[in-house]
Amino acid sequence: MEKILITRAGFDQLDEELRVLRTQDRPAVIREIAEAREHGDLSENAEYHAAREKQSLLEGRIKELEGLISRADVIDCAKLSGSIKFGATVKLVDEDTEEERTFQIVGEAEADLERGLLNIRSPLARALIGKDEGDSVEVVTPGGGKSYEILSVVFQ
């Protein structure tokens, strides 16, 4: 079974989501199903079918989270230093537009570009790995080539 890299914050977030699904959402769906059953004929009961569908999706997400958590290899980023690697928070400047962006390189399970969490398997993250502050990187993306300068590297 392949381990998945994840930061402590990412692991804690997945663990909290699993706790909420088990302790709050699952009992709520069970109550919805019970209430819908009381409305009579199940074959024509839209509320019942909707609640069962919701339960199915909920149980699927619980299984997915349990699998991720069981395979997690939690990395303490605060203990890392040096060149860019998993867990690094990197501040970049686009050499064409002068736009600055900050990303933390994380595992697939916690990646979210809108929050600045960059998947380690993305083209940009792969180009950054092993580089240092002050280096320039060329990245080939589906949208075309980009050039970035690394302004800072922090491990938090």
Side-chain angles (χ1 to χ4, degrees):
M1 189 178 324
E2 181 184 344
K3 289 286 190 183
I4 59 165
L5 296 178
I6 192 165
T7 63
R8 168 56 54 196
F11 181 84
D12 291 344
Q13 185 178 359
L14 293 178
D15 196 42
E16 176 62 15
E17 181 183 353
L18 180 59
R19 186 192 67 74
V20 168
L21 291 176
R22 284 178 174 164
T23 62
Q24 294 173 16
D25 295 354
R26 183 184 270 165
V29 169
I30 291 170
R31 281 192 300 276
E32 286 177 29
I33 291 171
E35 287 174 19
R37 270 197 179 126
E38 293 174 1
H39 294 265
D41 186 10
L42 297 182
S43 66
E44 296 180 13
N45 188 332
E47 290 176 1
Y48 175 77
H49 292 291
R52 290 299 306 254
E53 177 72 19
K54 189 174 179 181
Q55 181 186 36
S56 175
L57 294 172
L58 176 79
E59 293 300 328
R61 180 64 179 158
I62 288 172
K63 292 277 187 243
E64 179 183 11
L65 289 172
E66 289 171 341
L68 289 171
I69 288 170
S70 71
R71 296 186 341 246
D73 187 4
V74 181
I75 306 297
D76 185 358
C77 301
K79 294 181 180 179
L80 302 174
S81 63
S83 61
I84 298 174
K85 58 180 125 311
F86 180 88
T89 299
V90 183
K91 186 173 185 179
L92 305 171
V93 63
D94 185 317
E95 292 180 342
D96 297 327
T97 65
E98 298 298 318
E99 178 186 356
E100 291 185 7
R101 298 277 317 258
T102 302
F103 297 104
Q104 181 179 19
I105 299 175
V106 298
E108 280 184 82
E110 60 187 314
D112 182 354
L113 267 182
E114 292 190 13
R115 292 184 17 224
L117 301 173
L118 185 64
N119 183 345
I120 193 164
R121 295 183 181 190
S122 71
L124 178 56
R126 288 194 316 250
L128 291 170
I129 299 295
K131 302 289 192 276
D132 290 302
E133 195 173 298
D135 288 351
S136 285
V137 293
E138 295 284 329
V139 183
V140 177
T141 66
K146 293 290 253 177
S147 251
Y148 296 98
E149 180 182 345
I150 302 167
L151 299 177
S152 66
V153 179
V154 178
F155 292 92
Q156 328 179 21

